[in-house]
Amino acid sequence: MAEADALEITRLLQGWRKGDEQCLEQLWELVYRRLSRLAASYLQNERVGHTLETGALVNEVFLRLTQQNQVRWQDRAHFFALAASMMRRILVDHARRSQASKRGNGMQTICLHELHELGRSDHPDLVRLDEALLDLEAEDPSLANLVVMRYFGGLTRGEIAEALATSTTTVARQWRTARAWLYAYLAESSPP
Amino acid sequence: MSSESPMRPQPQKKSEKGARARRIFESAMEVSEEGRARLVDRACGDDAPLREAVERLLRADAEAGDFLREPLVRGAAASPFLPPPRIGPYQLQEKIGEGGMGVVYRGVRDDEAFQREVAVKLIVHQAMGKESRQRLGVERQILAGLDHPWIAQIFDGGTTEEGVPYMVMEYIDGKPIDVYCDQQGLPLRQRIELFRKVCSAVHCSHQNLVVHCDLKPSNILVTTAGEPKLLDFGIAKLLRQDIPEGEKGPGTVGSRPLTPEYASPEQFQGRALSTVSDVYSLGVLLHKLLTGQRPETQRELQPELRVDGNFFPTRTVDQEEGGLQGPADGSAPFSPHRLRGDLEAIVKKALRPRPEDRFSSVEQFSEDLRRHLQGFPVLAREGNLRYRAGKLLRRHRIPMAAAFASFAALAVFAFSMATLAGRLNEEREKLQEVVGFFRLFFERASPLVYEGRNLTLQEAVDQNAGLIETGLQNRPEVKVEIVTVLADIYRELGQSDLALIWSERALALNRQVVGKDSQAHSLSLVQVGAALRELGRFDDAERHTRAGLQQLQAQPDPEPQQLVHGLNNLVELLCYQERFQEADEPSRAAMELAQERLEENSAESLAATANRGQVLRRLGHATEALRLYEGALAPYRQRFGNAHPQVATVLLNLSSIYRERGDLTLAQHTLEEVNSQYLEIFGQDHYQRVMPLSGLASLARNQDRIGSALALYREAAEVAVASAAPPGYVLRPAMNFAQLLLSTDQCREGEQVLRDSLEYCRPHPDLGWRYAEVEGLLGECLVRQGSLAEARSLLEQSHARLRDSAEEGDSTALQRALQRLVGFYGAMGEEASRKQAEVALEAIGNIES
């Protein structure tokens, strides 16, 4: 990773935090390319039984993109929030492609969903979850955001509170609501 | 934060009803379950769709179970970059480090009257389960107990709200050790000294049963005061026996985080780690500090190779050369040649792929570096000793013996260090081996050692001497054995004064350790006697030797070999003083005992036979002597080979007997063999050749082969001077040579030979009668040439010296001097002086008869 990129991402993060939406777009461009390339290789190489280390993945991107010590706390939180939404997109796309190819030619690719079923069965179908999230986003973007950060980004309550400039109790309360909402939605295929 | 997907239809419009339902749901969550229905009733009233929405949410919440509870993937929750801003009383500041197990932040404690800076380490490893966390707690307590000035102190620890374990430790404002060394431009010696401090800290942790397992520059900071501080016992594993196998926490499996550049092979392979694994990592570190680069083996490592159990390339470590190459561009502070010799050996030993081949402890590693700094031989070379010595011996045979000797001395040293390290019992056998090795060595390789000119050996022995004195203080029983061998070495070196000092030391130690009546003490007495004999202190020598012999004989079950040894020493002492009559009895006893009890060709047995031969010959039993010598020759050859000083000595004695018996041809052949043996052993210019050469010359003279005789004498004289022989070796052949020259009327050349030899010997005034006799002969030579004034002073001086000599000397020399004076005074017409000389001459004749 060129140093210029690292400096650039630091600048963009700061700009974004100050509310410059253009910075976010550029940041997205810059990070997403790398993240998706990395994720693709992870998803390809991960063998059955291995877990996908989102945290490790994001960290890796972050490490490559920034000079860590020059990025402030809040910027980091924002970065991870951003990365979480990228992960959502990458993982959902991956799941969608896997399902399509399974339906199509029956090739033995392993979709993320299956991957997790090997270990745990409490993960929903990612494609359906994504649809639910889109509707939740329309209802209440902050709730959807929270879910993305928590579920796709693996952020802790503290980290989310930091990124959203709110308290951990608020995060906890909203999380419960969002989870119930999504569960109800998926159970009956309609928003509650 | 959006995740628009252009493929999707626009979601339905945000509903007011939904938002209200969620607010009611959230409120309901705040109250107890009994209160919930009432709250929903009141909030929804008769809005049935609203009520339904709220109830769906409540139902969902009740049924959701673990839905979405775990993030999509495990471990993500422990993102190392987003710690809570505060842990306990510590406000976290910027990140200051990162390792396999976690991240370190600078923390400030500001809730007290004073501000305190700390380092807070969050342990965020995915494999960290509940058990591991518990173990970490135990470990933390042990680490907190590590109290060492060069180990960062642990203050506190716990688990964050998110369940991330953390440790609070001393904040070190320092630089990684490699950076520090380069920035400060530290010279080699100071780097090693700094490194030894690190070793001391690691050793301390080892003593507390803590292995670091992740030693690398970023974990070893150096403060502005120049003191190292060890951090991050992050993956330290306890050596505690009470943790059952297979349950040693996150430590013993392949998932263990490690730093490939510094990890030991066993760490890569996920094998059990021990303190010796730290030795390896320290070896890598030392290599880095000394050359600016990590060793080859490390740089070549590819992570993919880790699964392959045999990936570890041994070539750079195990090859004799080239294991420790420096950077090609020369940018490193130290050129690679600095890592030759001791340092190379030390680093190599630390980097051996097999743990058991490395230094057995960090302390030992550090000790070896200390020895290097102080100029002592290092332990790291121990393993190569026999190999190298054997190789040298095979390649160069005896000419390289001196180098061999220094290795032998090293073996003593190595042994002494091994015993120091407390491995005494297992080294017991080794001791016997070392001592046996020495004996063998001195038998085979003494020629060059006799010369006593090899400085390397001298230095090696001297160094060991000091070390043994100080290093073996608590091991008298080992010390005495080594001191005894050392005394032997010094005697073989011709350093009789030092041989005396060390043998006396051995004597005192033996008295102290095993007591006065022991066999060891008796042998020490004999050894002291031998040293005294070499120093010419015959009375003291005799006292010690006889006392030792007596004690040996008084032993309840004396070892025959030691008895023969003692007797041999006594016989040799008596022969030195030409007290052959007194030597008769002990030499016979020694030989008989040897024949009866010892192996036929053991060293002591052969010496007894040779001694007996010499005594018999001097006592006029030439035939019997001849029989002994001839009988001894074959076993001597068998034991020592065909070219060895001991064999040559037997041959020299044989030739004397042949000559005395008038068997001149046999004498000549024998001497010729001696000469060729010496040539092979010592080379062209060695003073040992003077004896057979002048012997051959005098044989030639007796056979009237004057031309050969002159040529042989000339060669003998030349060799004597060229080899800087002791004066005794110069004077005798010079005199015989000159006499032959005079008798063939070659006075001028004779004069030159005599003057040269006197000139050569002038630095040694205590040459006694031989020097005086050469003076007399030169005087005679000058008379013949008419240089009367100088002749007179030489003749008178020669006589005065011989008359005043307290030495036994050769009375015939005094006779000859007086005869010359009588002749000289007569020729000069000085009657009074002539008369006086004649009277003196008659007086001697009377005494003689």
Side-chain angles (χ1 to χ4, degrees), chain A residues 51-54 59 68-69 73 91 116 134 139 150-151 154 156 159 176-177 179-180 184 188 190-191, chain B residues 1 3 8 15 22 26 56 60-61 65 67-70 72-74 76-77 80-83 95 98 162:
Chain A
T51 51
L52 182 66
E53 309 283 7
T54 312
N59 285 344
Q68 305 145 35
N69 288 330
W73 278 121
L91 295 174
H116 285 290
L134 275 174
E139 284 273 329
R150 172 103 178 96
Y151 187 69
T156 64
E159 289 162 352
R176 196 167 185 178
T177 310
R179 197 172 76 106
E188 295 175 31
S190 69
Chain B
M1 221 136 322
S3 172
R8 304 266 315 154
S15 77
R22 290 194 296 278
E26 282 174 14
R56 270 183 75 188
D61 182 73
F67 175 70
L68 299 189
R69 193 171 296 282
E70 284 285 308
L72 181 55
V73 280
R74 260 189 305 148
F81 300 101
L82 294 166
K95 183 167 82 175
E98 186 174 4
E162 267 91 13

Side-chain angles (χ1 to χ4, degrees), chain B residues 141-411:
Chain B
Q141 281 174 349
I142 287 163
L143 292 179
L146 284 184
D147 186 16
H148 192 281
W150 298 320
I151 294 177
Q153 186 80 37
I154 308 281
F155 296 131
D156 198 0
T159 307
T160 67
E161 189 194 335
E162 267 91 13
V164 180
Y166 67 91
M167 280 194 218
V168 180
M169 53 198 152
E170 189 181 352
Y171 175 75
I172 312 293
D173 184 14
K175 297 202 169 79
I177 187 167
D178 54 341
V179 175
Y180 176 86
C181 283
D182 289 344
Q183 283 181 355
Q184 299 284 314
L186 282 197
L188 187 82
R189 192 183 181 86
Q190 286 180 33
R191 284 173 194 237
I192 296 173
E193 279 162 358
L194 183 62
F195 178 80
R196 289 194 62 233
K197 288 185 178 177
V198 174
C199 288
S200 143
V202 175
H203 178 62
C204 167
S205 83
H206 286 178
Q207 284 179 321
N208 285 276
L209 303 178
V210 179
V211 186
H212 192 292
C213 293
D214 196 18
L215 288 165
K216 56 183 170 180
S218 61
N219 279 340
I220 303 164
L221 300 184
V222 183
T223 65
T224 43
E227 298 297 325
K229 286 278 189 182
L230 259 75
L231 319 167
D232 197 4
F233 287 79
I235 51 174
K237 182 190 78 140
L238 296 183
L239 285 180
R240 289 165 65 100
Q241 300 303 312
D242 56 358
I243 297 175
E245 201 58 44
E247 216 198 289
K248 297 212 170 158
T252 41
V253 285
S255 72
R256 185 208 327 266
L258 50 79
T259 310
E261 295 85 351
Y262 288 86
S264 58
E266 64 268 26
Q267 211 165 348
F268 271 112
Q269 291 157 3
R271 299 225 194 103
L273 299 185
S274 70
T275 54
V276 188
S277 310
D278 280 351
V279 169
Y280 185 93
S281 302
L282 284 171
V284 179
L285 174 65
L286 182 62
H287 190 279
K288 178 89 160 57
L289 293 184
L290 299 186
T291 67
Q293 295 213 326
R294 291 190 304 269
E296 195 82 25
T297 42
Q298 293 295 312
R299 277 185 281 128
E300 284 174 355
L301 275 185
Q302 298 297 318
E304 298 90 77
L305 293 171
R306 281 183 221 166
V307 280
D308 177 5
N310 228 357
F311 69 90
F312 210 83
T314 51
R315 69 177 175 83
T316 47
V317 174
D318 279 350
Q319 263 180 6
E320 279 196 21
E321 287 162 55
L324 302 159
Q325 280 143 9
D329 61 357
S331 63
F334 297 103
S335 47
H337 69 260
R338 299 296 291 270
L339 256 199
R340 281 189 192 160
D342 287 354
L343 282 180
E344 184 187 25
I346 292 172
V347 173
K348 271 185 178 178
K349 190 168 172 67
L351 289 176
R352 295 269 177 222
R354 292 182 344 148
E356 58 269 33
D357 292 339
R358 295 175 209 145
F359 290 105
S360 60
S361 72
V362 171
E363 193 183 31
Q364 204 186 55
F365 187 4
S366 176
E367 259 303 291
D368 229 19
L369 286 168
R370 183 189 63 75
R371 283 194 293 273
H372 169 72
L373 290 178
Q374 296 182 356
F376 289 119
V378 302
L379 189 57
R381 294 183 136 181
E382 172 192 21
N384 290 332
L385 175 65
R386 293 200 88 157
Y387 164 73
R388 288 196 192 177
K391 198 165 148 188
L392 274 174
L393 196 65
R394 277 195 300 280
R395 199 196 297 161
H396 300 289
R397 286 206 77 182
I398 291 178
M400 280 304 286
F404 190 15
S406 56
F407 286 122
L410 216 63

